[in-house]
Amino acid sequence: ATMGSLSEPCMRQGNAWVFKSSKISKFGNPSAMSRPRLAGVTGTVLRKLSQGTRVRATSEEVTKKSASAEKAAKLAARMEKDMAQNEPKVQEPAFNRSAGRDRYNPQTYFELVADATQSVKDAIEDGVEQIEVELAALGQETYKYRADTFVDVNAALATALGAGLAGAGKRVRILLPDNAELQRQNLMLQKNMGKRMREEMQVLGDKLVFGCLTEARPTLDEKLGSAFTKMFNGGVDTTPAPPETPEDVFIVLNIGVLDLPLVETYYEKIAQGRTMILMNCELDTLRGDLGLPAFPSKDLHYRFLSRFKPVFFMRNRKYTKTTATPPYNIDYAGTLFREYPGPWQVMLKLGDGSLACVAESRKRFYLNEAKYKMAEALGIAETKGSVINFLRTGYKAGTW
């Protein structure tokens, strides 16, 4: 900026140059001056101005001006933020879990596990001892992943759930199918994948431990393996043994249909009167194999599995509707959802990835019913009672 000639005499007073009609401070406010002035100019520039010399501000002086303005802007923003924080806030109403959710959009698995943990805590407080938790560990299509990946992810989620319960004062034991799976889990904890699990277990100590279902009834191969191990391992017995002091909560995971009788035995011998959680076991799939040759009978469901209450349940489904007109194939997806103590809900997956409730009931939906509710919400469902609807759905909505 260029200043005009100033012929008025000036004198130095402290840190300022004083003229007859105005005063320019070294750090003054340019808006308060009676003449056009440049804020922040140096004494040398002012002396030249007093002699009537035309001076152009250097880049250093402009930089100082910008820095001063930026500092003032930051101070104003900080003051505004402090005022906003001190304003009285209206307290938002607490989320009513018993009424269900209109929308659900967990951003991470940690948020999902936190919601499941809270549901489990509520159920335990209400006296529920046999609990089912289903988290949809690997999204929509778990069959695309290796079995080892599915097993490891389930172990990580179970550890997070167990850590949440242990933090509330519970002693938790995570149960794998057998001793071989337990040894594999111990090896996995030593790798990078198990770093977070290892840190949580070190912090919690004996409040969160791993075990196996064969502690209640060792298998023949475990007994034989222990006998051979004694010969070469200084007589150390590796047969799984039940805990001397049973924990408060037992989390069972990664089991198959042939392991279900062992789960019942473990509950009767060790976990009786305590909380047992079947986590990501897909019981609705395992029940379909009961009664087949060489598989457990259906009576196992009636006397044992039917007592497990779904406390947090997410069953993701993906469908395609074929039409005779464009676009011919319509893809849609959704979730059968339940969060204790809320109702069963059919959630439709929206374009942004969130889930929106389209139907709810206190009675559990069959998967075919959930599919119809999703299609009905999209306006692509067949008319109930029509021939085409009968051909698509069959005469029965669900199995036994």
Side-chain angles (χ1 to χ4, degrees):
T2 305
M3 301 295 297
S5 299
L6 297 175
S7 58
E8 303 177 27
C10 61
M11 60 182 293
R12 180 72 177 266
Q13 289 185 357
N15 201 25
W17 289 85
V18 180
F19 295 83
K20 288 183 178 180
S21 59
S22 63
K23 175 180 178 181
I24 303 179
S25 173
K26 186 176 181 180
F27 300 101
N29 185 356
S31 63
M33 302 176 186
S34 59
R35 297 171 181 263
R37 299 287 191 266
L38 178 64
V41 293
T42 63
T44 303
V45 175
L46 285 172
R47 284 193 295 273
K48 291 182 179 181
L49 285 175
S50 65
Q51 298 172 1
T53 308
R54 298 177 60 86
V55 181
R56 191 171 298 274
T58 64
S59 60
E60 181 180 357
E61 294 158 359
V62 176
T63 302
K64 289 182 179 180
K65 176 185 175 183
S66 302
S68 178
E70 184 179 356
K71 183 177 180 180
K74 288 182 178 179
L75 179 61
R78 186 162 60 250
M79 292 176 63
E80 185 178 356
K81 183 178 179 181
D82 293 340
M83 292 175 62
Q85 290 178 348
N86 293 330
E87 290 181 356
K89 296 181 180 180
V90 179
Q91 187 175 3
E92 297 182 358
F95 170 63
N96 185 9
R97 306 173 72 88
S98 61
R101 294 181 182 265
D102 295 330
R103 294 282 292 273
Y104 190 47
N105 188 23
Q107 299 297 317
T108 63
Y109 273 111
F110 296 108
E111 183 179 346
L112 192 65
V113 172
D115 292 335
T117 303
Q118 186 58 51
S119 295
V120 170
K121 289 179 181 178
D122 293 343
I124 293 175
E125 289 179 0
D126 291 343
V128 181
E129 293 183 352
Q130 291 162 294
I131 295 172
E132 179 185 2
V133 173
E134 194 71 37
L135 290 181
L138 292 173
Q140 293 279 358
E141 300 171 344
T142 57
Y143 61 84
K144 287 187 175 181
Y145 298 88
R146 297 187 309 154
D148 288 349
T149 303
F150 186 78
V151 167
D152 293 340
V153 170
N154 278 343
L157 295 176
T159 304
L161 176 63
L165 297 176
K170 302 289 185 180
R171 294 173 57 243
V172 182
R173 192 175 190 86
I174 300 175
L175 298 175
L176 299 169
D178 52 34
N179 196 34
E181 289 288 341
L182 179 59
Q183 293 177 0
R184 180 188 176 279
Q185 179 63 32
N186 292 333
L187 291 175
M188 195 271 285
L189 287 174
Q190 306 304 320
K191 300 180 181 179
N192 291 333
M193 183 177 180
K195 181 179 180 181
R196 183 181 179 87
M197 299 166 58
R198 185 170 63 252
E199 292 174 351
E200 290 179 348
M201 296 183 69
Q202 288 175 350
V203 171
L204 296 171
D206 60 350
K207 289 186 177 180
L208 179 62
V209 296
F210 276 91
C212 60
L213 292 171
T214 52
E215 293 169 349
R217 189 182 63 193
T219 59
L220 179 60
D221 58 339
E222 288 176 340
K223 293 179 179 179
L224 293 176
S226 177
F228 282 106
T229 303
K230 286 182 180 180
M231 299 171 59
F232 304 100
N233 198 23
V236 178
D237 189 2
T238 59
T239 305
E244 297 180 0
T245 304
E247 284 74 11
D248 304 317
V249 180
F250 296 88
I251 303 176
V252 182
L253 66 154
N254 297 336
I255 60 173
V257 63
L258 296 178
D259 298 315
L260 291 176
L262 197 55
V263 176
E264 183 182 22
T265 302
Y266 195 99
Y267 182 79
E268 292 177 347
K269 289 187 175 182
I270 300 175
Q272 187 76 36
R274 295 174 174 82
T275 303
M276 175 173 278
I277 302 173
L278 300 184
M279 183 174 182
N280 288 356
C281 294
E282 298 186 0
L283 289 184
D284 51 347
T285 302
L286 298 183
R287 289 187 182 101
D289 294 332
L290 296 178
L292 297 177
F295 285 89
S297 65
K298 292 182 179 180
D299 185 57
L300 176 63
H301 166 75
Y302 294 117
R303 72 173 184 264
F304 181 63
L305 295 181
S306 60
R307 299 188 307 202
F308 282 85
K309 177 177 290 188
V311 165
F312 191 90
F313 190 92
M314 285 189 70
R315 170 65 72 186
N316 293 335
R317 309 298 293 178
K318 190 174 182 180
Y319 302 104
T320 299
K321 173 68 180 296
T322 304
T323 62
T325 57
Y328 303 112
N329 291 325
I330 303 174
D331 297 324
Y332 60 100
T335 299
L336 179 59
F337 182 76
R338 202 258 170 135
E339 185 178 21
Y340 184 90
W344 285 94
Q345 296 179 284
V346 178
M347 312 287 276
L348 183 65
K349 188 174 184 180
L350 305 181
D352 60 356
S354 63
L355 300 172
C357 178
V358 297
E360 64 179 36
S361 173
R362 285 292 168 184
K363 182 180 177 182
R364 180 172 178 168
F365 292 93
Y366 289 114
L367 291 181
N368 279 340
E369 292 175 337
K371 177 183 177 181
Y372 185 85
K373 293 294 183 182
M374 296 178 201
E376 189 176 37
L378 293 172
I380 58 175
E382 307 292 347
T383 304
K384 280 190 174 182
S386 63
V387 176
I388 188 66
N389 183 60
F390 173 78
L391 293 175
R392 284 185 181 274
T393 60
Y395 74 97
K396 199 172 183 180
T399 59
W400 63 282

